[in-house]
Amino acid sequence: MTKILLTGASGFLGTIISNNLSEATITTLGRGPDLDINCNLSVEIPDLQPVNWVIHAAGKAHMVCRVEADIEDFYNVNVKGTLNLLHGLERSACLPESFIFISSVAVYGDNGKHINEEHPFNPTDAYGKSKIEAEILIQEWCIKNNVNCSILRLPLLAGPHPPGNLGAMIKGQQKGYYFNINGGQVKKSLVMAEDVAKIIPRAAKIGGIYNLTDGYHPSFSELSKVIAKQLNKPVPYNIPEWIAKIMAKFGDLMGSNAPINSKKYHKIMSELTFDDSKARKILKWNPQLVLEAFKLV
C-alpha cells in the first residue's frame, strides 16, 4: 500500500484529496489537533517518517494583500514552509519516490487566453511570486535527490462549499448583491477539486508540470445561472460596463472592502483561460465539466 504524506490536509483541497485516496495510507500534516502531525511549516521543520509520495497542498491561499504583513505571510507560508518541509524530508530515513506540488496558474499573471505551460512567468501579486519560488525550490531539490517531481498548476477550484472567489460569488448571490457586468461573457478557467485529487496517482508516477482545467472555461453568466438554480434564486442582474466603471471609481475611495473597485473590475473583465492539452495527452486527463458537476453542498 502506498504511503503518502499530505500537507494542508485540513484545507479545502487537502480534505478532498484525502477522501479520494482512501486506498493509500495517508499521514496528514498541518495546523490542527485532528491531524497526524500538527506542524506550522512556516516556522517548524517537521519530524517525518519515510513515505512513498509527498503531496504538498499546504499554503497561504490567494487573497488581496492589504498590508505589508500579508506579503510577508505569503513568503513565510508558501516559500519558507516549503523549504522547511524539504529539510524535514532530508532528515527522514528515506526520501520519497515522488513529490507532488499543488501550485497555481497565478504564476502566469492575471490575463490571457489558452495559456500553456511554456508561457513565461508573469505574476502580478505576492501569491503568484511565492508559488514560483516554491516551484523552483521543489524542482531543484527533486533533481538533486532523484525524486520524481509533479507540479499541478490549478485555476479556480470548484466543489462543495468552495473558498476564494467562487465562494464569494456564491455568498453574493445568496445575499442578493452579486451582479454580472456587460452580460457576464468573460470566461475563466475552473476545475473540479475532485478531479484534481483523482489525477494525482497518475501524476505521481509520470511527473511533469501541468495546467489542469475542465477544458470548457465557463463564463460568469453561465456559472452564475448554475449557482442561482441551486440556490433557488433569480438569475443575477446585469449592469452595463459604463456603470460598473463608475462604481469601481467610487470603490477606490471606499477601500479594499468595497464590492468592486478598479482592481477588482480589471480582474472581472479580463479573460483568463488555460490550455490543459499537455495533461490530456500525457496524463490522460479527462475531467468533468464544472457546469455539470458542480454542486454547492
Side-chain angles (χ1 to χ4, degrees):
M1 182 175 288
T2 304
K3 295 181 179 179
I4 298 174
L5 173 67
L6 172 62
T7 74
S10 60
F12 171 70
L13 180 58
T15 301
I16 292 174
I17 290 173
S18 183
N19 292 338
N20 278 272
L21 299 181
S22 57
E23 294 182 0
T25 300
I26 299 178
T27 299
T28 56
L29 184 154
R31 285 182 281 183
D34 297 327
L35 303 177
D36 298 314
I37 303 174
N38 189 346
C39 174
N40 182 352
L41 285 173
S42 65
V43 296
E44 299 175 74
I45 296 176
D47 184 16
L48 304 173
Q49 297 298 315
V51 294
N52 302 110
W53 302 348
V54 174
I55 303 173
H56 186 26
K60 184 175 177 64
H62 202 175
M63 57 168 279
V64 177
C65 293
R66 292 181 172 85
V67 295
E68 192 69 25
D70 289 336
I71 297 176
E72 187 176 355
D73 280 349
F74 277 120
Y75 176 82
N76 289 337
V77 175
N78 295 344
V79 182
K80 190 174 178 181
T82 296
L83 190 59
N84 283 339
L85 174 62
L86 297 177
H87 287 328
L89 291 170
E90 289 174 349
R91 292 181 181 182
S92 68
C94 183
L95 294 177
E97 301 162 11
S98 296
F99 192 109
I100 303 93
F101 178 49
I102 303 300
S103 189
S104 168
V105 293
V107 300
Y108 302 118
D110 60 6
N111 67 84
K113 298 180 181 180
H114 305 300
I115 295 170
N116 66 22
E117 294 84 355
E118 302 302 316
H119 191 280
F121 290 143
N122 187 31
T124 57
D125 56 21
Y127 174 72
K129 292 175 183 177
S130 69
K131 284 295 188 180
I132 292 172
E133 289 191 58
E135 282 193 14
I136 293 171
L137 282 173
I138 290 164
Q139 289 181 85
E140 291 178 346
W141 184 87
C142 286
I143 292 171
K144 174 185 173 183
N145 293 286
N146 196 29
V147 173
N148 198 27
C149 179
S150 300
I151 295 175
L152 307 181
R153 293 176 179 160
L154 308 183
L156 201 61
L157 285 170
H161 307 292
N165 290 334
L166 184 54
M169 184 178 182
I170 295 168
K171 181 180 178 181
Q173 290 191 234
Q174 287 174 322
K175 302 293 185 181
Y177 59 76
Y178 175 84
F179 50 84
N180 283 316
I181 300 172
N182 202 30
Q185 297 307 306
V186 174
K187 294 179 178 291
K188 302 284 186 179
S189 288
L190 288 89
V191 68
M192 294 298 299
E194 179 185 8
D195 287 329
V196 174
K198 289 179 176 178
I199 203 63
I200 284 176
R202 187 180 292 273
K205 295 174 183 176
I206 296 175
I209 300 174
Y210 305 97
N211 296 337
L212 299 181
T213 80
D214 79 339
Y216 178 73
H217 322 293
S219 67
F220 281 115
S221 175
E222 291 173 310
L223 189 58
S224 64
K225 288 177 182 177
V226 168
I227 294 170
K229 184 176 181 180
Q230 292 190 47
L231 292 173
N232 196 27
K233 295 280 188 177
V235 174
Y237 293 112
N238 177 68
I239 63 171
E241 190 172 351
W242 67 271
I243 292 180
K245 287 182 178 179
I246 294 173
M247 293 174 65
K249 294 296 183 182
F250 278 106
D252 292 339
L253 301 175
M254 294 170 61
S256 58
N257 290 323
I260 187 170
N261 55 34
S262 293
K263 188 171 184 178
K264 291 177 182 178
Y265 172 82
H266 172 74
K267 290 190 70 174
I268 291 170
M269 298 304 293
S270 298
E271 187 154 315
L272 188 58
T273 58
F274 302 91
D275 180 359
D276 65 359
S277 57
K278 179 181 177 183
R280 291 176 184 269
K281 179 179 180 180
I282 297 176
L283 300 181
K284 309 303 179 186
W285 169 247
N286 186 29
Q288 308 167 84
L289 294 178
V290 169
L291 292 180
E292 296 177 358
F294 179 46
K295 300 293 184 292
L296 301 186
V297 294

